Every structure is written in structure tokens, then in C-alpha cells.
Amino acid sequence: MAFSIYQASVPVYVRQLTALSAVLDKAASYTSQRKIEPAVLIQARLYPDMLPLGRQVQIACGHALRGASRLSGAEPPSVEIKDGSFDELKAGIAKTLELLKSVDAKKMEGMEDRDITFPVGDHKTTLKGGDYLLHFSMPNFYFHITIAYGILRNNGVEIGKADFMG
């Protein structure tokens, strides 16, 4: 069996988002144990001009959904993920995981060679499905997952590589 665009995308998104949800559990526990208002971590940034943790989680979920949808020939769904609490962020991840797990692998067959046109800022870009996955969707997804992890680690949450990897 050949390696498929489905195997290179959906299971990766699922694994990393599942790991992120577990990391958020550790962050919630950390704030509770230390009597820190959860919003302090949810609004924390690695640097002033970077987006806060809550937004990093929202964007990572969005990249996973848009990537899987576009690679299966579907219109990406719109999922509102609230960032007022760890529970809201985890609920957004759970909804994203539910949608990802419903993606039909057969609809992705051959997508690596098909054109995918998508918005980037104010203009549209077209890439072959394989290039879209490897050079746009996955790098963006991992960037936001990594920044979310980094924000929590930088703020003292005791997480390590195994937590990131899931």
C-alpha cells in the first residue's frame, strides 16, 4: 500500500491536537495548584508582537480543519473556538478532532496532484495538493502548535518533549 496524503495529514493533525489538549490539561492543573487565574496563561505570549496562547490554539485547529477539508475536496467548515477558559479551548479541540475523524480517506486519493486554491491574506494562491500539505498547511499547523507549547513551557508549566509528541 502506498503512502497516502490522508496518512500524511489527518492522523498527524489528530495526534498533535490530542497532545495539545493533554498539555492544556496540565496547564489548567498548574494554574489551579498555584492559584493563578487561567486567563493569565491563556492570554500569555512569547513576545509582545506574537499572538496569545488562546489564539495559537484556535489557529492550529483552523489549519488542521482547512487542510483536511481542502485535501478531501470539501469546503472547510467554520468552527468557533472560544478562548475564555481551558475548557472552552479543549471543547474547540474536541470539535476539531470530531470533524477530522469524519474525513473520508477515499476522498483524498489523488489529491496530491490536484490544484488547491486558497486565500493567503488578500489574494489567492494555488498549489498542488502535496505542496499545499507539505509547504503550507503542515508548517503553519506545527508553528502554532509549537508556539502554544512554548508559551506554556515559558510560563512554568512542567511539560516536555513527550507531552508535545503525544
Side-chain angles (χ1 to χ4, degrees):
M1 179 170 156
F3 188 70
S4 71
I5 201 100
Y6 176 87
Q7 290 171 312
S9 61
V10 174
V12 176
Y13 296 136
V14 167
R15 179 179 176 163
Q16 290 306 132
L17 288 173
T18 301
L20 181 58
S21 185
V23 166
L24 292 178
D25 283 336
K26 289 188 173 192
S29 177
Y30 176 82
T31 60
S32 177
Q33 290 170 358
R34 290 181 173 70
K35 299 187 183 352
I36 299 169
E37 183 63 37
V40 170
L41 287 187
I42 293 169
Q43 293 303 315
R45 303 165 186 257
L46 281 182
Y47 195 77
D49 68 353
M50 295 180 80
L51 296 171
L53 173 68
R55 190 72 181 112
Q56 300 293 341
V57 172
Q58 292 167 333
I59 295 171
C61 288
H63 275 289
L65 284 175
R66 288 188 302 275
S69 296
R70 290 181 180 132
L71 289 167
S72 63
E75 187 64 31
S78 177
V79 174
E80 181 183 0
I81 300 173
K82 297 183 186 219
D83 65 353
S85 69
F86 287 115
D87 285 342
E88 287 179 343
L89 289 170
K90 287 178 53 65
I93 292 172
K95 179 62 177 170
T96 301
L97 288 170
E98 177 185 323
L99 290 167
L100 288 170
K101 290 174 183 177
S102 72
V103 172
D104 184 354
K106 291 188 186 310
K107 289 186 177 181
M108 287 188 163
E109 290 176 5
M111 286 302 288
E112 58 275 2
D113 296 319
R114 293 192 195 139
D115 284 343
I116 295 180
T117 301
F118 57 100
V120 177
D122 293 336
H123 66 281
K124 292 193 177 229
T125 299
T126 300
L127 295 173
K128 295 292 182 193
D131 289 333
Y132 170 76
L133 176 66
L134 298 174
H135 302 292
F136 183 80
S137 183
M138 278 296 170
N140 278 287
F141 174 73
Y142 270 110
F143 175 83
H144 294 285
I145 292 279
T146 302
I147 296 302
Y149 171 90
I151 289 169
L152 293 173
R153 186 67 191 105
N154 187 56
N155 280 278
V157 179
E158 294 179 15
I159 50 178
K161 185 177 181 180
D163 297 298
F164 178 85
M165 299 298 292

